[in-house]
Amino acid sequence: MTSRQGRAARLDVEAHAAAGDELGRWLQATMRDELGIADDEVCAQLELAVHEIWVNIVEHAYRDAGGPVTITAARRGDQIVFELFDHGRDFDPRSVPEPRPERAQVRGFGLSIVRSLMDQIVYEHTADGNRWQLTRQLESA
Amino acid sequence: MDIAVKSDGSHTVVALQGRFDAHEADPVRERLVGAISAGAMALTLDLSGVTFIDSKALALLVRSQKECREGGIALTLASPSSPVQLIFELTKLDRAFHIVDEPTLAESA
C-alpha cells in the first residue's frame, strides 16, 4: 500500500526476496514522481542502498521467514531520507565480516555498499523492532 | 528475469535480462551449474541486459568464479551494464573477474 503526504511516500511490503521487484518499482516511481529526483544515476544508487537494507531485514531480522516492513521516503530541500521499519530480531553489525575485495569473499558487501552510497546511516533497535534511517544530500543544481 | 543460454559445446553463453537480485540468484546458479554439467569448459555471462544487481547476486558471481577456477573452467563476464559497473566500482570486485566487451562464443576458441 502506498500513501502520499506532500513530498513523501510510504510502502508496506512483505520481507521476502520475491518482493524485491515491487520495492524497486516503488522506489523508482517515488524518487522521480514524489521526490523529484531526475538524475538516473542517483536514482540507481539510492535504489541499491535501500534494497540492501531491505535484504538485510529479510535475512537477518526475519531470517527468511517473512514479516512486515514499512518503508518511507521523504525529501527535505536537497536532503533525501529513507526509513525502514521492521519487527524482527535486532541486528548486530559485528555479525557481518568487513569486506575484503582482495579476497573476493562472498559476504559482507551489503552494508559496505550502503555506507558508500549514503551520507548518514542510523540504526536503532526499539521495543517495537528495528529502525533504519538513510540520508543522502543531493548536489544542488 | 529472462535467462537465455547459447552453447557451441565447450563454450556456453548465459545472457541475463532484467533484475538480478537475491530472488534471482538461485535460477542463475542453476543455469551455470547446468552448463557445467553439460560439459562447458568456458562460461560467459552476458550482463548487458541487467537492469539491477544487488550484493547477493554479486556474491553468486564471486562464488561461481571461485568454483569455476577450482574446476578448471574459464568464467568470463561480458558487457556489464551500468548497474553492474556501479556495484563493481563500489566493491572493487571487478579486479576479481575476466571482463570483456562482447559476449561472443568465438572468444573461447
Side-chain angles (χ1 to χ4, degrees), chain B residues 68-92:
Chain B
C68 282
R69 189 186 300 123
E70 290 170 354
I73 296 163
L75 176 65
T76 299
L77 306 185
S79 313
S81 61
S82 293
V84 179
Q85 292 179 33
L86 169 64
I87 206 164
F88 276 157
E89 187 180 307
L90 293 169
T91 59
K92 298 180 172 55

Side-chain angles (χ1 to χ4, degrees), chain A residues 17 25 42 48 55 92 98 111-112 114 123-124 128-129 136:
Chain A
R25 282 186 276 107
V42 171
L48 179 57
V55 168
D92 180 2
E98 281 297 312
L111 279 180
S112 173
V114 181
Y123 166 77
E124 63 177 356
D128 293 333
R136 166 86 171 255

